Amino acid sequence: MPLVARVVVDVPLAHLDRPFDYAVPDKLADTVQAGCRVRVRFHGRLVDGVIWELGDTTEFSGSLQPLSHVPSGEPVLTPQVARLVRTVADRYAGTASDVLRLALPPRRSAAEKRETPTPDQLPEPPDPAGFARYTAGPALLDALAEGRPARAVWTALPGEDWPARLVELCRASLSGRRGALVVVPDGRDLDRLAAAAAALLPAHSYTVLRADDSPEKRYRSFLAASRGAAQVVLGTRAAMFAPVRDLGLVVVWDDGDDLHADERAPYPHARDVLVQRAWLDDCAAVVAGTTRTAEGALLVESGWAHELVADRAVLRSAAPRVQALGEDFELARDAAARSARLPSLAHETARKALAADTPVLVQVPRRGYVPSLACARCRAPARCAHCAGPLGISPRPGPGGTRIPACRWCARPAATFDCPHCHGTKLRASVIGDSRTAEELARAFPGAAMRTSGSTSGVLATVPGGASLVVATPGAEPVAEGGYGAALLLDSWALLGRADLRAGEETLRRWMNAAALVRPAAAGGAVIVAADAGHPVVQALVRWDPAWLAARELADRRELGFPPVTRMASVAGSPAALAEFLEALRLPADADLLGPVPERPRPGQEGERERYLVRVPRASGAALAHALAEVQGVRSAKKVPEHVRVQLDPLDLV
């Protein structure tokens, strides 16, 4: 019996989600390896595939087709990653071929021909001083160096050099001859992490997987990991599938950031994938951030992970002073504080910080100039008369220096406005963007240097330590040399008022990530948040207690039956397609079907679309995923033309 290759073909059809057996010709027997890429003939055409495994038997009774071509014998899919791919596909009701597209970068032959350098020696364990401020911090480093599968949910102190701390975790694992994998949300975080790795890890012992690298460079970095030369992998979301040799540690930083959720099917989340990976490979795991998510709180509550925090005395010495504009004392002193966008306390705090020659950070939730307009009479959102898209004002003035409202979808100008609700003809700003805020602050603080950081003006990585005003959108806050003297968190209603399950959790994450860049209170650091002091999210910020809010969020969601206590699936499509899908769906007995509701319109979307939510207890999550995948397979086999979008554990439930 010739050698048999079990191949997962790159065909996006749910009913073909299994390996297919192919004969390995004698001329290719010395080249083929498990995990290498191949070309095979499938249903009369040549398609790409990956060898899942090799064997010497087959259950197929007929004559096996031979492999058509082996582009390279390079094994890019390790057995450990193959097992993870199957687990992720099953968890999210997807297919192995979909997950493989996320896990394997495109091949570049030039990169395969180059030798991969290896490190000269392994490092010594790191200095435990960096983690000495945290209860059980040095013990975690010892466990990693000894290869024990320690699990922790780490809440970093404000002002913490978190890239150095994460690299110290990797160094501890590497000193024990185990690999490490760290996933961060974006390129700016990855730049800081790579700089720390260059200072603390031996050359060639780590590799960086960047989404914005050239295809050849990215593939070369991938090969450094798959060949076992670099045992530490640092990267953004796609790195969660990196083939790390002898994996001993997985880390996800800032797991509440929605950039960790992949937008391509089957829509996996980096935190959940890495938790699955820690379980499959029996390795250590650290879920880290300045704040804590409800999912992190559940990991602690279940006993799967221990919390890694500093005691209150250490926290008080590191945190800035936080004040809310809605405090009773401040309202008594300044009656306009509740409604003013920049009340006297915020103005005075910024003035003092500038006078002390320190930068001031101003966080604004929205980008642009005036990204959202409303009717001045009835406050209804202003929409385009042509496509019903939202109206806004661009930061770029039109002819003659005027700024005319225009649709943010179709870009048609709205020179006139007639409200369909009250027939009002005047508009007002319902949201102020970072560009308009910078204009207002320039008038309020004449002579102060002004900088903006965001997707519109460009994201700054760092700013110098002198007096300046830095206006940034959430996630685009640059690091200031020596820390900011003050931070102003404006327009809190735009974050807290969102109709979203995670609105409170996400608001605290954005606020604390910005406030953590401010100097300690002992050095004059101050944070002003324009919000009601009695709100639980504001209280968590003032007390700097994200664990308390996460536990509260988890308790509230448990009472209401929301994730992460339950698992939910979103099923979206046309009404006719959904009716057919649900008729064939065999749900678990304890499932709740919620809906339908109209699906949120997207630019360019045509036709009526609806969405159902399916909710089950966590214990029934696997059964729900299997039921959804089964229906998708049947519809695929029948070649049903209308697609139904299935997503498990969606971040957005609205």
Side-chain angles (χ1 to χ4, degrees):
M1 181 73 185
L3 192 63
V4 176
R6 296 182 175 90
V7 178
V8 174
V9 293
D10 187 11
V11 177
L13 297 174
H15 69 288
L16 302 177
D17 184 30
R18 64 184 188 277
F20 291 86
D21 290 355
Y22 286 84
V24 178
D26 292 339
K27 64 180 180 179
L28 299 177
D30 294 335
T31 305
V32 165
Q33 297 186 63
C36 74
R37 304 176 199 258
V38 294
R39 295 270 287 169
V40 297
R41 190 160 294 280
F42 190 81
H43 283 266
R45 60 191 182 96
L46 282 175
V47 298
D48 295 325
V50 178
I51 295 182
W52 198 258
E53 60 181 353
L54 293 171
D56 52 14
T57 61
T58 179
E59 296 180 359
F60 184 66
S61 57
S63 177
L64 293 180
Q65 287 272 356
L67 298 177
S68 298
H69 179 55
V70 180
S72 167
E74 185 80 42
V76 293
L77 181 66
T78 65
Q80 293 80 12
V81 175
R83 182 174 55 174
L84 177 67
V85 165
R86 185 68 267 168
T87 300
V88 170
D90 292 342
R91 177 178 176 82
Y92 288 97
T95 65
S97 61
D98 281 340
V99 181
L100 285 172
R101 288 191 203 101
L102 306 179
L104 302 180
R107 176 178 177 262
R108 289 294 183 271
S109 59
E112 291 182 346
K113 295 174 183 177
R114 297 180 58 169
E115 291 189 5
T116 302
T118 57
D120 295 332
Q121 60 184 5
L122 295 177
E124 294 295 321
D127 184 350
F131 275 98
R133 297 193 294 171
Y134 301 92
T135 305
L140 174 62
L141 294 176
D142 291 341
L144 294 176
E146 296 167 7
R148 289 184 276 128
R151 277 78 184 260
V153 175
W154 174 39
T155 305
L157 286 166
E160 179 65 271
D161 186 4
W162 60 264
R165 300 292 85 78
L166 296 186
V167 173
E168 287 168 0
L169 295 177
C170 297
R171 178 166 174 162
S173 182
L174 192 58
S175 69
R177 299 182 180 276
R178 301 289 298 275
L181 169 61
V182 183
V183 177
V184 296
D186 57 37
R188 287 199 316 140
D189 291 335
L190 188 56
D191 289 339
R192 296 181 63 189
L193 192 64
L200 296 173
L201 295 179
H204 311 306
S205 67
Y206 69 95
T207 189
V208 181
L209 295 179
R210 299 178 184 273
D212 56 353
D213 274 343
S214 66
E216 181 173 341
K217 186 176 180 181
R218 181 172 175 80
Y219 189 50
R220 196 162 63 242
S221 299
F222 175 87
L223 292 177
S226 67
R227 291 172 176 176
Q231 280 191 271
V232 174
V233 175
L234 316 173
T236 48
R237 183 178 62 215
M240 58 186 165
F241 296 105
V244 181
R245 187 183 67 182
D246 298 327
L247 185 62
L249 169 69
V250 293
V251 181
V252 57
W253 171 257
D254 200 8
D255 66 297
D257 196 315
D258 57 9
L259 291 175
H260 283 302
D262 206 301
E263 298 177 350
R264 296 169 293 174
Y267 318 106
H269 193 287
R271 176 195 54 240
D272 298 338
V273 171
L274 293 182
V275 167
Q276 290 289 321
R277 196 161 186 181
W279 174 71
L280 290 171
D281 292 350
D282 191 29
C283 69
V286 176
V287 178
T290 306
T291 61
R292 184 179 299 180
T293 59
E295 286 79 6
L298 182 61
L299 293 175
V300 173
E301 181 187 87
S302 66
W304 190 87
H306 298 283
E307 64 176 5
L308 182 63
V309 296
D311 61 38
R312 296 301 297 180
V314 175
L315 176 60
R316 283 192 293 270
S317 68
R321 184 188 181 195
V322 182
Q323 287 182 272
L325 292 176
E327 293 176 351
D328 293 339
F329 173 79
E330 181 58 27
L331 289 174
R333 192 180 68 85
D334 181 7
R338 190 183 298 276
S339 58
R341 188 158 188 257
L342 193 68
S344 59
L345 176 62
H347 189 282
E348 182 64 16
T349 301
R351 187 190 64 77
K352 287 182 178 179
L354 292 173
D357 198 29
T358 59
V360 176
L361 175 64
V362 183
Q363 187 194 71
V364 183
R366 303 289 177 85
R367 60 177 177 160
Y369 191 77
V370 180
S372 180
L373 293 167
C375 174
R377 179 187 294 175
C378 70
R379 303 297 193 264
R383 295 198 168 274
C384 175
H386 177 76
C387 71
L391 295 182
I393 298 178
S394 168
R396 293 187 296 272
T402 60
R403 290 186 171 93
I404 299 175
C407 178
R408 294 175 59 197
W409 286 4
C410 68
R412 282 180 169 83
T416 60
F417 174 72
D418 181 13
C419 178
H421 304 284
C422 70
H423 295 288
T425 58
K426 294 184 177 180
L427 293 167
R428 69 185 298 272
S430 56
V431 175
I432 301 296
D434 58 344
S435 301
R436 175 66 178 269
T437 302
E439 281 189 9
E440 294 176 353
L441 290 173
R443 290 193 293 267
F445 299 96
M450 182 67 62
R451 296 181 174 88
T452 58
S453 179
S455 59
T456 303
S457 57
V459 177
L460 303 176
T462 60
V463 293
S468 65
L469 288 162
V470 182
V471 180
T473 51
E477 302 91 350
V479 178
E481 182 182 347
Y484 290 97
L488 311 180
L489 310 177
L490 303 183
D491 300 340
S492 60
W493 56 268
L495 296 175
L496 292 172
R498 293 182 304 145
D500 189 288
L501 174 68
R502 304 173 187 273
E505 177 185 285
E506 175 65 7
T507 299
L508 184 65
R509 187 188 72 82
R510 294 182 176 190
W511 283 351
M512 294 191 82
N513 283 350
L517 301 175
V518 179
R519 301 177 181 191
V527 176
I528 306 299
V529 54
D532 182 0
H535 197 288
V537 177
V538 181
Q539 283 294 304
L541 177 65
V542 170
R543 301 202 309 262
W544 208 278
D545 195 356
W548 168 79
L549 185 70
R552 178 188 173 116
E553 284 274 334
L554 183 61
D556 289 346
R557 295 186 199 178
R558 177 175 284 113
E559 183 176 348
L560 298 172
F562 284 134
V565 180
T566 59
R567 291 198 68 193
M568 298 191 78
S570 167
V571 184
S574 70
L578 285 177
E580 183 180 332
F581 187 97
L582 294 175
E583 184 179 358
L585 181 61
R586 296 183 294 180
L587 289 172
D590 49 5
D592 293 328
L593 184 63
L594 311 174
V597 296
E599 189 180 23
R600 180 182 297 175
R602 301 176 184 177
Q605 178 177 295
E606 297 181 359
E608 181 185 0
R609 288 177 63 87
E610 295 178 341
R611 185 172 82 159
Y612 283 89
L613 293 176
V614 186
R615 176 173 59 191
V616 297
R618 284 193 71 84
S620 300
L624 173 62
H626 176 74
L628 293 168
E630 186 178 51
V631 177
Q632 290 285 61
V634 171
R635 291 173 59 81
S636 172
K638 291 181 177 179
K639 299 182 179 179
V640 178
E642 288 195 74
H643 175 67
V644 172
R645 185 176 188 265
V646 172
Q647 183 176 2
L648 269 93
D649 304 324
L651 293 181
D652 184 9
L653 298 179
V654 178

